[in-house]
Amino acid sequence: MNGHSSDLVPIAKVPHNERIQKIIEEFHNEYGCQPTFVARVPGRVNLIGEHIDYCGYPVLPMALEQDILVAGSLIEEYKLCIRNANPKYESLELEITANEDITIKADKDGKPYWFNYVLCGIKGALEHLNNEVSTGLKLYIDGNIPPASGLSSSSALVSAACLAFLYAHNATLNKTDIASLCARCERYIGTQGGGMDQAIAFLAEKYCAQYITWNPLKATKVILPEEATFVVAHSLAEINKAATNDYNRRVIECRLASKILALTQDNIKDHSIINLSQVQKMLDKTLEDMVALVYQRLPKMIYTKDEVCKILEITEEEMDERYLTPNTRHLTEFKLKQRALHVYEEANRVEKFRKTCMQSMNGKANGSNNNQTRSSGDENETLNSLGNLMSNSHESLKSLYECSHKNLDLLVDISSKFNVHSRLTGAGWGGCIVALCPKDKVKEYIEMLENEYYVKHCNIEKNKAKSYIFATMPNYGAIVYVTK
Ligand code: ADP
Ligand code: NG1
Ligand code: MG
């Protein structure tokens, strides 16, 4: 890696930044030496396009200011020392000569240890390095992304660990390759993620969101309307995605729906996994056509495992082997229609959201060329259109995808009474909402949520409530700071 091309992860001198200075100091206190570098990877908020990355559809996230920092120094022994600034996360030391030294096991409750996310990143790096370890590492980690809250703390941790290990090994990797590598290696934790989090972590740019497309991975800038502010509010429900099978269940329901929708065209003997976007391409249909096709071909609310096997003309063992994951093989019922409907409609909302942002930007450019200003009516209309798409997204995630949480629904309802559109962001089942708030209403909106949700509903002191809500600005992506 070196910082000459914009395709590569940037490398810069340590900035005058309090958090970075603090981690360097703490590293020294912990290990008695200076770190050589600090890898920084941000969290993200997804504005729209939820649970569709693993179906091959574009998503529209932006990076947050909150991040994971991994400070590191090279040691001669082939050893990894992993410590965290937060004492609740226990330390780990292990010998590391090859990939086989790393096993990723859950704790007795089936929840991954925090350091497993670090190990996922190291495993990915080792794969890229063809298993050639040339140095040991002391690592010290500090994160301020609210964990298990849909803001992608897990991927920031995996990606920062992978980046740190690669940097220590002088590996050259461009942003898209390392993003894809990190998306693959986070799957060692057990969830079959789609790659959005790692993509935005590396491809983010300051001041704009990104429209992320797949195969090949690409990020295209989306300039957000100036008058829009995105506010993130925590529902106070945390959910570790790798500790349950909810996420993978949705992934495999989409897989099974794809196989059934593809039946007429797909050679039934072809057992490769396909996604809902590939089916659309194969059938050469619009997203609206696909919605109609789902109603036609997947009419039932519930499909039993037996029914799916019959339709696909396979045995249960074949289904387990080909399409299911270790933590979904015991499932006996699947909701295929609801999941596929959400995916095709949400993919359509992403396109509309992006188009609305582009039209708003073009309108502004034309307005300034003609020496006119856009009317506040135009601006309201833009925010309203974007907001409606977000509200519809939430409704779909709640009723079709069933990945909301009562706290998230309440936050969305309270916001809506204040005429602010919002939706759950990230995987769901807890975590945060993202709200689109006109700039001039942000202070009032935050104050209202503090009172109506945190104080009245959750019995939290007003002062503490403040820490659960923040207004965001699109931030830049991963970077390595060198200390010497
Ligand atoms: P998210 O939506 O934040 O990505 P996940 O369930 O995917 O949620 O991952 C959350 C897990 O990531 C936490 O339970 C913890 O194990 C790990 N994690 C997140 N932030 C940190 C941190 N700062 N230090 C250690 N582990 C962290
Ligand atoms: P979070 O909430 O950060 O764990 C997950 C997936 C994404 C995407 C979203 C839902 C991982 C690492 N991340 O995000 O790929 O599918 O849910 O849109 O699995
Ligand atoms: Mg995650």
Side-chain angles (χ1 to χ4, degrees):
M1 267 178 278
N2 64 53
H4 294 309
S5 157
S6 62
D7 290 341
L8 301 178
V9 177
I11 297 175
K13 281 199 183 138
V14 170
H16 294 287
N17 167 301
E18 223 178 284
R19 274 193 72 229
I20 311 268
Q21 297 299 339
K22 187 165 152 264
I23 197 174
I24 292 175
E25 215 178 286
E26 286 181 3
F27 187 100
H28 192 267
N29 294 343
E30 276 288 320
Y31 291 119
C33 61
Q34 277 277 106
T36 334
F37 64 87
V38 180
R40 174 195 176 269
V41 178
R44 61 101 187 95
V45 55
N46 188 22
L47 300 181
I48 197 150
E50 221 61 84
H51 285 282
I52 62 172
D53 56 348
Y54 50 80
C55 299
Y57 282 107
V59 291
L60 218 154
M62 67 191 204
L64 295 173
E65 196 186 319
Q66 288 88 334
D67 56 27
I68 297 275
L69 299 176
V70 177
S73 83
L74 280 54
I75 48 175
E76 272 172 23
E77 283 167 279
Y78 283 4
K79 206 169 81 172
L80 264 185
C81 307
I82 307 174
R83 298 188 195 171
N84 199 301
N86 184 336
K88 88 169 186 194
Y89 297 116
E90 70 213 85
S91 302
L92 177 76
E93 257 186 45
L94 75 157
E95 273 202 26
I96 174 165
T97 50
N99 216 332
E100 296 75 56
D101 294 334
I102 303 178
T103 41
I104 294 177
K105 286 192 304 243
D107 72 7
K108 60 176 179 8
D109 304 318
K111 199 178 162 219
Y113 293 102
W114 80 273
F115 48 71
N116 282 355
Y117 293 91
V118 176
L119 297 179
C120 284
I122 307 283
K123 245 176 141 35
L126 277 168
E127 278 161 21
H128 177 77
L129 297 166
N130 290 324
N131 227 352
E132 280 172 32
V133 185
S134 64
T135 181
L137 273 175
K138 285 179 173 161
L139 299 175
Y140 187 73
I141 293 154
D142 182 28
N144 63 359
I145 307 167
S149 307
L151 301 178
S152 194
S153 67
S154 66
S155 307
L157 185 52
V158 170
S159 303
C162 185
L163 180 60
F165 201 83
L166 288 173
Y167 176 77
H169 282 79
N170 286 320
T172 305
L173 214 59
N174 68 31
K175 290 177 187 172
T176 49
D177 287 346
I178 189 169
S180 304
L181 176 66
C182 291
R184 278 200 307 280
C185 69
E186 187 165 345
R187 294 190 191 119
Y188 290 124
I189 211 76
T191 40
Q192 298 283 310
M196 158 169 69
D197 305 347
Q198 302 82 358
I200 191 68
F202 287 98
L203 299 170
E205 287 177 60
K206 209 169 164 81
Y207 306 119
C208 49
Q210 300 285 343
Y211 172 75
I212 311 262
T213 44
W214 314 103
N215 286 320
L217 173 60
K218 191 173 163 220
T220 310
K221 281 185 205 179
V222 176
I223 312 277
L224 300 167
E226 239 173 70
E227 54 283 0
T229 297
F230 291 91
V231 175
V232 173
H234 204 295
S235 69
L236 304 187
E238 285 189 2
I239 166 84
N240 181 292
K241 261 71 71 183
T244 76
N245 66 7
D246 290 324
Y247 187 87
N248 279 356
R249 181 182 196 128
R250 300 301 182 279
V251 174
I252 63 107
E253 282 173 328
C254 289
R255 250 180 222 170
L256 297 174
S258 316
K259 290 307 286 185
I260 297 181
L261 289 173
L263 269 185
T264 48
Q265 300 268 323
D266 198 13
N267 177 351
I268 232 171
K269 300 281 170 300
D270 178 3
H271 301 300
S272 58
I273 291 178
I274 52 165
N275 62 36
L276 288 166
S277 149
Q278 285 168 316
V279 181
Q280 185 199 350
K281 270 198 205 94
M282 204 166 83
L283 302 180
D284 192 21
K285 287 185 182 294
T286 64
L287 284 166
E288 286 85 359
D289 292 340
M290 290 312 290
V291 168
L293 195 73
V294 172
Y295 281 113
Q296 210 182 66
R297 298 264 173 80
L298 293 168
K300 295 179 62 154
M301 295 300 278
I302 288 185
Y303 286 82
T304 63
K305 191 166 188 175
D306 196 39
E307 277 171 320
V308 176
C309 287
K310 285 210 175 90
I311 298 171
L312 295 179
E313 298 180 16
I314 51 174
T315 64
E316 262 195 37
E317 290 70 34
E318 284 167 337
M319 176 160 158
D320 286 350
E321 182 65 23
R322 286 173 198 155
Y323 308 128
L324 306 192
T325 60
N327 67 349
T328 55
R329 291 199 176 126
H330 64 286
L331 299 177
T332 53
E333 292 187 339
F334 306 97
K335 297 191 179 176
L336 307 185
K337 165 183 164 171
Q338 299 90 319
R339 311 310 187 216
L341 277 180
H342 164 77
V343 170
Y344 288 128
E345 289 172 348
E346 182 80 352
N348 215 347
R349 283 188 282 270
V350 172
E351 297 311 315
K352 289 182 179 158
F353 193 98
R354 178 177 179 230
K355 219 163 150 192
T356 307
C357 290
M358 278 162 56
Q359 279 164 354
S360 151
M361 199 183 66
N362 293 339
K364 261 189 195 138
N366 292 339
S368 63
N369 286 344
N370 303 334
N371 229 356
Q372 294 164 346
T373 44
R374 260 162 58 89
S375 71
S376 62
D378 290 342
E379 286 168 5
N380 283 344
E381 206 180 303
T382 299
L383 295 206
N384 234 331
S385 310
L386 297 177
N388 274 320
L389 292 167
M390 290 173 67
S391 290
N392 293 342
S393 166
H394 184 79
E395 190 46 46
S396 176
L397 289 160
K398 177 181 160 186
S399 43
L400 291 175
Y401 227 69
E402 296 176 289
C403 65
S404 189
H405 182 281
K406 63 179 185 351
N407 292 12
L408 291 166
D409 296 339
L410 184 59
L411 273 170
V412 167
D413 287 346
I414 294 174
S415 304
S416 148
K417 290 200 180 102
F418 193 76
N419 286 324
V420 166
H421 293 279
S422 62
R423 54 182 289 279
L424 72 83
T425 186
W429 295 287
C432 296
I433 61 156
V434 56
L436 197 179
C437 187
K439 237 184 198 132
D440 55 358
K441 264 174 81 174
V442 170
K443 237 182 115 194
E444 228 184 311
Y445 171 62
I446 291 183
E447 170 96 22
M448 184 280 300
L449 272 192
E450 280 169 12
N451 292 330
E452 298 302 311
Y453 182 71
Y454 297 98
V455 176
K456 276 197 200 156
H457 182 76
C458 309
N459 286 324
I460 282 183
E461 275 174 41
K462 179 97 179 210
N463 259 351
K464 200 160 176 236
K466 291 191 189 317
S467 64
Y468 297 113
I469 320 176
F470 57 91
T472 58
M473 277 268 288
N475 229 291
Y476 56 93
I479 185 164
V480 179
Y481 295 117
V482 281
T483 57
K484 289 168 198 158

